[in-house]
Amino acid sequence: MNIGITCYPSLGGSGVVATELGKLLAERGHQVHFITSGIPFRLGSYYPNIFFHEVEVNHYDVFKYPPYDLSLANRMAQVAKNEKLDLLHVHYAVPHALCAYLAKQMVGEQLKIVTTLHGTDITVLGYDSNLSDMIRFGIEQSDLVTAVSNDLIRQTKELLHVDKEIVPVYNFVDKRRYYPKEVGHLKKGFAPNGEKIIMHISNFRPVKRVPDVIEVFDRVRAEMPAKLLLIGEGPEMGLVRNMVKERSLDQDVCFLGKQEDVAEVISMADLMLLPSSKESFGLVALEAMGCGVPVVATEAGGLPEVVTDGVCGFLLPIGDVEGMAAATIRLLQDEAMYQQFSQNSIERSNTTFCHERIATQYEDLYRQLLSENNVSI
Ligand code: GMT
């Protein structure tokens, strides 16, 4: 198959999933064309069967807002024609589903559109009355719509009142790269006296509730020796740094900023903390599970579909910092329970969320869609 993929190329779960899926499809012999505003950050080096088509936005003075959407639609149509694309798989509804619709109008009905909903494209932007009708239209005009959790499907239907079938396809991790790595030497640098390492990874946006991470860590630290590693950057970084100072936690909290090889970094952790108020899936939780790191998180959105409560970690109500601190201490102090949760996490990640399984699911959906229209593939 000739497949076009559009996503946001910068750091973020939807871009990661789109890029990793593209790599897996290319490994299976498909021609994969990324149509994005920059090289997706997880793409890294050269891969056979992967091509990159940059979307260049016109910054002519007359434009108050440079028209990214139109340039993207135009590029999609060009690539679809030149490379004889069978389908465009767009990740994140806004504006990608609409751009794909426009491209299809330009090249013809034979070009199929697959839209994957990732979360905030519905659970945040869906509440904006300036966008909600467009999002609904984009979903309805797509030939196939998938979402990364059942909870996101429920929320999409409730919020946008769409009747269209939305197929759940979970996110995945590549188990050839996400497994417990031997990083004792790195761990020693942060926890020289064998302190437990708690980790949080996010874009520090309000939905991630990073201040709750500090609240939880403060309580854990009062009970046992522990270190907190914070990975990522974003709007609430200043607030979080202040909280660390005010609570005199500077010696025990380390800010690592953005990191590319998270599989290596996550292997240093004993526990992943994810206190989000919204999380359609929680890719970071899955990445941690793949590395054998149990998760303490909230019950938000699709997290219960990823982290089995009491098996791979513990899930608490949003904002329950006391509960999350108690669960963290319990798990870190009970060695037998910890080892069991760590094993359970690896097993769940390698089965339900195995990269091979999910790539096959997407491939089957593409084939079904194209065969409905008698396209030979
Ligand atoms: O979490 C974010 O702020 C980034 C966002 C994105 O679009 O990259 O993540 C969303 O998509 C990820 C991949 O499907 C999911 O794992 C995240 O749970 C989801 N974020 C939210 O729902 C807040």
Side-chain angles (χ1 to χ4, degrees), residues 105-376:
Q105 300 307 303
M106 292 164 76
V107 300
E109 276 298 308
Q110 74 282 2
L111 179 66
K112 298 298 162 200
I113 304 173
V114 180
T115 296
T116 291
L117 308 175
H118 278 274
T120 46
D121 44 355
I122 302 299
T123 59
V124 174
L125 301 177
Y127 284 98
D128 182 345
S129 57
N130 296 302
L131 293 172
S132 52
D133 288 344
M134 284 299 270
I135 300 174
R136 184 184 311 107
F137 183 76
I139 290 173
E140 280 166 355
Q141 295 304 317
S142 299
D143 298 291
L144 170 71
V145 182
T146 73
V148 298
S149 63
N150 289 301
D151 187 74
L152 183 55
I153 296 177
R154 181 190 62 74
Q155 290 204 52
T156 307
K157 298 216 160 192
E158 260 176 42
L159 186 61
L160 295 173
H161 309 289
V162 281
D163 290 333
K164 195 176 181 79
E165 187 197 3
I166 304 177
V167 182
V169 183
Y170 284 143
N171 290 333
F172 58 92
V173 282
D174 190 331
K175 64 180 176 191
R176 295 166 300 182
R177 277 188 291 117
Y178 286 85
Y179 58 87
K181 299 199 168 161
E182 194 25 77
V183 289
H185 57 295
L186 296 177
K187 215 168 164 172
K188 256 203 149 58
F190 294 105
N193 303 310
E195 297 92 338
K196 297 290 185 191
I197 294 186
I198 296 169
M199 188 172 283
H200 171 77
I201 305 183
S202 77
N203 49 28
F204 285 62
R205 282 199 248 137
V207 288
K208 302 294 176 182
R209 293 183 69 106
V210 192
D212 282 4
V213 173
I214 307 301
E215 294 285 359
V216 171
F217 181 70
D218 200 7
R219 287 163 173 78
V220 173
R221 182 68 199 78
E223 296 291 321
M224 60 186 287
K227 299 283 179 182
L228 174 65
L229 300 193
L230 294 168
I231 323 290
E233 269 176 18
E236 297 213 313
M237 181 60 100
L239 170 69
V240 171
R241 281 191 188 275
N242 286 342
M243 285 180 75
V244 169
K245 260 204 174 65
E246 280 160 20
R247 287 166 172 72
S248 305
L249 291 169
D250 312 56
Q251 295 304 309
D252 295 320
V253 179
C254 192
F255 292 86
L256 269 66
K258 288 183 185 172
Q259 297 289 325
E260 290 212 349
D261 188 357
V262 282
E264 183 101 350
V265 175
I266 290 173
S267 290
M268 287 195 286
D270 292 295
L271 186 136
M272 184 64 72
L273 203 47
L274 203 57
S276 312
S277 58
K278 288 178 192 285
E279 206 66 77
S280 66
F281 183 88
L283 187 62
V284 163
L286 179 60
E287 288 173 335
M289 286 162 59
C291 296
V293 177
V295 180
V296 169
T298 52
E299 304 157 331
L303 277 168
E305 292 172 59
V306 182
V307 182
T308 316
D309 187 26
V311 174
C312 304
F314 289 112
L315 299 179
L316 284 304
I318 296 163
D320 181 5
V321 290
E322 296 291 348
M324 285 185 265
T328 300
I329 294 165
R330 185 177 164 205
L331 197 43
L332 291 179
Q333 289 186 339
D334 184 334
E335 188 56 26
M337 180 195 274
Y338 184 88
Q339 289 307 331
Q340 188 58 58
F341 277 35
S342 171
Q343 271 313 312
N344 297 343
S345 298
I346 296 171
E347 206 172 296
R348 183 159 170 74
S349 155
N350 286 350
T351 51
T352 309
F353 305 104
C354 169
H355 64 280
E356 293 287 357
R357 176 184 181 148
I358 305 296
T360 301
Q361 207 178 336
Y362 275 119
E363 228 180 2
D364 289 348
L365 286 168
Y366 295 164
R367 287 213 169 92
Q368 206 178 315
L369 179 65
L370 296 178
S371 68
E372 278 165 16
N373 296 277
N374 302 321
V375 178
S376 57

